Structures are given as structure tokens and as C-alpha cells.
Amino acid sequence: MSDTSVCPPRRLIASAIVAFAAFGAFWGVWGASVPRVQERAGLDDGRLGVALLFVGAGALPSMLLMGRALDRWGPRIAGAAIAALGCAGAGMVLTAVNLASLCAGLAVVGATSGAADVAMNAVAGRAERTAGRPVITRAHGVFSGLVVLASLATGSVASLPVAVPFAAVAVLSLAAGAALARALGSGNAGQAREHATEADSPPTGRGGLVPFVLIGTLGALGFAAENAHESWSAVFAHDELHSGAGLSAVAPAVFAGAVAVTRFAIGGLGAAHARAVLLGGTTAAAAGTALIAAAPTLLVAGAGLAVAAAGTAVLFPTLLGIVSRDVEESRRGRATSVVSTVSYLGFLLGPVYVGLWAGAVGLRGAMLAIAALAAALLVLTPALLRVSGLGHRAAR
């Protein structure tokens, strides 16, 4: 039975975008609330760093498990994943009174976030294929925009208890989850059983995951560069360009804003432009980062940061779009989870990569190391797309 008889494409697209909005709102609130959560738990910077590791520890296994769950029980469970994230965030902030409770809370947040991430992207890929028009990149643009807006909104209500913005996001997440479940409809139960049968014996066995690992490797390089800039741009502005704390804080906002604008601007490009978008994005990321490394002033560094942000912004959504168009519906969950999990490893390791290079050759040298990542991605993209067999539509 066709999915479109159960869920009209417009409704599916709208519900997927609302889910991305809730996801972005959560992480915007979290980013702005970290200092207050740290203070409430009574942690120094070192112990906070330990606690933050539990986000990734919870996310990675749940991302893989969510892919199998989607293929077995159908995409309707994506709504539950989105709703669970908001509830986990509210629970974490209410119970985080020491290191142990914060670690436990962040592990649950990481697990629900990883599951929601895979679920949202799988639903967005389903919507893009069903509607026959681009969805994923614009949905990621909504996520980026909501991160910025929620962060600013959280800062504006800093006089209120820290749990208040998390409670608001929990309400938004519950509403988004309910909307997603309704959009996907109860008619997917039959399809879920069909998925379960096919998922028990994938047509190409374990080797069938290799193409998704290759695409995820490209995503990992892109995410490593992206999170390296997000994590270190303020430090670079402060230490190398001697800007004050206020001006240094503008750097991550410039990056996030440029990411959001770029995703909205190019979100309408179809599959025929995917390869050009990837190559153009990697070139911009490398050039922008090289400009940052050589920047004599904060203005020049800001321009380089905007160019680098525009380049990295298009990489992961475009790669997901390629996978979405080429994967069978019965394997969409696992394909999305493998690509997302491998890519997320790059997101986790990117800031560490910069830290190691900064310790060896200084921050300007570390910026060149990020540019080298983007250059490697430029070289590897055509080769890995060809080897994976998933880029043939992009090539056309």
C-alpha cells in the first residue's frame, strides 16, 4: 500500500520540520543553560567535562538501535523519540544536583537525542522521497535557526529558574511528537510488519552496510570541521586576535547564523546538484578556514568563519539526501542510523582534533589542520560516492 494514501506529503513534511524545530530548540536551550546547570550541580570545569562525555556515550548506541527499531516497527515510533527528548531534558535539569546525577541525566539525554536524531532524519528522507522535492536541507536549516533563537530566548529569561525553558521545550517536543505520530498514521502498522519481515533478512547481508559507512565517513569529516569551528571559534578570537569576551562570543553566533542561512538558501536544490553542492561546500570550508588561520583582524576572521560555515552547512544534509533517494524503504532506518552514527563520531572528535593540533603548533596551525580535513573531503567525495554506489543520481 502506498504511504501517500495514509499521509499526504505536505503533512509529512510539515510534521518533520516541526520535529527538527523542537530538536533545535532543545539544544539551543541546553547550550545557553550549561553554566547554570554546572553551578546547580556544584561542578568545576574538569568534572563538567567528564559529565558531558555521557551525552555521546548515550547517543551512539541509541542511534544504531533506533535504526533497527524504525525498520522493524515502522516510522511512527519517531514521534515517541522526539517527545522523549524533551521529557529527558526536563528530568535531567530537575535532578542534576551533583556529578553522579548529572552524568546519569546526560546519558539519558544523549540516548533520547541520538534516537530522535536518527528518527527525524529518516522521516525527513521519507518525506523527500515521497514528495519528490528537497526536504532534508531545509529541515536542517530549521534546526540551526531554532538553536540560535532558543539560545537567545533562554538568555533573555535568565532571571527565571533554569527548569522553565526546559519545561517549555518539553511541551514543544510532546506536541511535535504527537503531530509526527498523527502524520504517519496508524496505517503504517501493516507496513511496519512488512518492514519487520524484510529487516530479519536484509537482501545484501552485512556487506550491505558498507556503502552507508562510506557515506558516513564523508559526513564524519564534514561534522569534524563543523564542530571544530563551533567549539573553538570564540577561543581563537580571544587568544589569537585578542578580542574581548563579548566580541569573542559573537564568533559562534556568526557561524550558526551562516549555517542556518545557507541551508535555507540552497535547500531547494534537487538531486541533480548534489555532487556540485558537496564539492562546492568542501571548497568553501577549506578556503574559509584558511582565511581564518591567516586573519589579522576579527573582521577578516568573521568573514572566513561565515564562508567556512556556509561550506560545512550543506555537507551532511546533502549526504543524507543522497542516501534517502537510493535506499529501499525497508532499510531506511538502518541506513540513516549507520550514516548518522559514523558522522557523529566526527562531530565528537572534531574539537579534540583541534585541541591536539593547537597544543602542537598553536591555534593558527590548528585552523590549517581543519582546512586540511576539508581538503581531504574534497578529494575523497567523488571516490567514495562512486565506490558506495549511492551517488549515481547525484552524478547525473
Side-chain angles (χ1 to χ4, degrees), residues 12-99:
L12 182 57
I13 292 170
S15 61
I17 287 177
V18 170
F20 272 87
F23 194 71
F26 175 85
W27 286 110
V29 167
W30 165 249
S33 302
V34 170
R36 299 181 68 191
V37 173
Q38 177 185 12
E39 182 181 0
R40 188 170 186 272
L43 305 182
D44 57 24
D45 290 345
R47 292 196 294 170
L48 175 64
V50 171
L52 292 176
L53 291 174
F54 281 78
V55 177
L60 287 171
S62 74
M63 293 173 85
L64 291 173
L65 291 173
M66 188 60 178
R68 288 192 170 273
L70 286 166
D71 289 342
R72 180 170 294 276
W73 293 301
R76 200 179 184 194
I77 62 171
I82 301 300
L85 174 61
C87 295
M92 176 272 298
V93 78
L94 288 172
T95 59
V97 294
N98 53 39
L99 177 61

Side-chain angles (χ1 to χ4, degrees), residues 3-177:
D3 293 336
T4 56
S5 63
V6 175
C7 178
R10 286 185 181 179
R11 186 177 176 189
L12 182 57
I13 292 170
S15 61
I17 287 177
V18 170
F20 272 87
F23 194 71
F26 175 85
W27 286 110
V29 167
W30 165 249
S33 302
V34 170
R36 299 181 68 191
V37 173
Q38 177 185 12
E39 182 181 0
R40 188 170 186 272
L43 305 182
D44 57 24
D45 290 345
R47 292 196 294 170
L48 175 64
V50 171
L52 292 176
L53 291 174
F54 281 78
V55 177
L60 287 171
S62 74
M63 293 173 85
L64 291 173
L65 291 173
M66 188 60 178
R68 288 192 170 273
L70 286 166
D71 289 342
R72 180 170 294 276
W73 293 301
R76 200 179 184 194
I77 62 171
I82 301 300
L85 174 61
C87 295
M92 176 272 298
V93 78
L94 288 172
T95 59
V97 294
N98 53 39
L99 177 61
S101 59
L102 181 58
C103 288
L106 288 178
V108 176
V109 165
T112 54
S113 174
D117 193 344
V118 171
M120 287 186 319
N121 281 301
V123 171
R126 179 188 182 93
E128 184 164 303
R129 186 165 181 174
T130 300
R133 63 177 185 268
V135 174
I136 295 174
T137 300
R138 283 178 176 164
H140 279 261
V142 170
F143 163 77
S144 300
L146 262 294
V147 168
V148 176
L149 293 177
S151 179
L152 295 174
T154 302
S156 70
V157 296
S159 59
L160 297 176
V162 68
V164 170
F166 282 94
V169 169
V171 172
L172 175 59
S173 297
L174 288 168

Side-chain angles (χ1 to χ4, degrees), residues 41-362:
L43 305 182
D44 57 24
D45 290 345
R47 292 196 294 170
L48 175 64
V50 171
L52 292 176
L53 291 174
F54 281 78
V55 177
L60 287 171
S62 74
M63 293 173 85
L64 291 173
L65 291 173
M66 188 60 178
R68 288 192 170 273
L70 286 166
D71 289 342
R72 180 170 294 276
W73 293 301
R76 200 179 184 194
I77 62 171
I82 301 300
L85 174 61
C87 295
M92 176 272 298
V93 78
L94 288 172
T95 59
V97 294
N98 53 39
L99 177 61
S101 59
L102 181 58
C103 288
L106 288 178
V108 176
V109 165
T112 54
S113 174
D117 193 344
V118 171
M120 287 186 319
N121 281 301
V123 171
R126 179 188 182 93
E128 184 164 303
R129 186 165 181 174
T130 300
R133 63 177 185 268
V135 174
I136 295 174
T137 300
R138 283 178 176 164
H140 279 261
V142 170
F143 163 77
S144 300
L146 262 294
V147 168
V148 176
L149 293 177
S151 179
L152 295 174
T154 302
S156 70
V157 296
S159 59
L160 297 176
V162 68
V164 170
F166 282 94
V169 169
V171 172
L172 175 59
S173 297
L174 288 168
L180 198 57
R182 285 196 303 271
L184 289 164
S186 59
N188 284 294
Q191 189 181 36
R193 288 190 293 270
E194 179 184 345
H195 286 182
T197 301
E198 294 175 356
D200 288 337
S201 48
T204 53
R206 291 183 180 273
L209 296 180
V210 171
F212 308 128
V213 172
L214 295 177
I215 297 298
T217 300
L218 296 178
L221 291 173
F223 262 153
E226 181 175 332
N227 199 27
H229 283 302
E230 289 178 347
S231 301
W232 285 91
S233 57
V235 178
F236 181 88
H238 184 272
D239 292 357
E240 294 295 325
L241 302 176
H242 310 295
S243 61
L247 284 175
S248 298
V250 172
V254 168
F255 189 89
V259 166
V261 169
T262 303
R263 285 173 173 169
F264 283 120
I266 64 96
L269 294 178
H273 302 283
R275 183 181 291 262
V277 168
L278 289 173
L279 297 179
T282 54
T283 301
T289 307
L291 181 59
I292 295 169
T297 66
L298 185 60
L299 183 62
V300 175
L305 194 61
V307 173
T312 60
V314 303
L315 300 178
F316 184 65
T318 303
L319 291 168
L320 272 182
I322 290 173
V323 172
S324 171
R325 287 183 290 272
D326 280 4
V327 72
E328 301 95 336
E329 193 62 44
S330 62
R331 304 181 68 212
R332 182 178 302 282
R334 279 172 297 168
T336 305
S337 70
V338 170
V339 172
S340 299
T341 303
V342 176
S343 297
Y344 187 64
L345 290 173
F347 185 85
L348 293 176
L349 295 176
V352 178
Y353 173 83
V354 174
L356 293 174
W357 277 104
V361 296

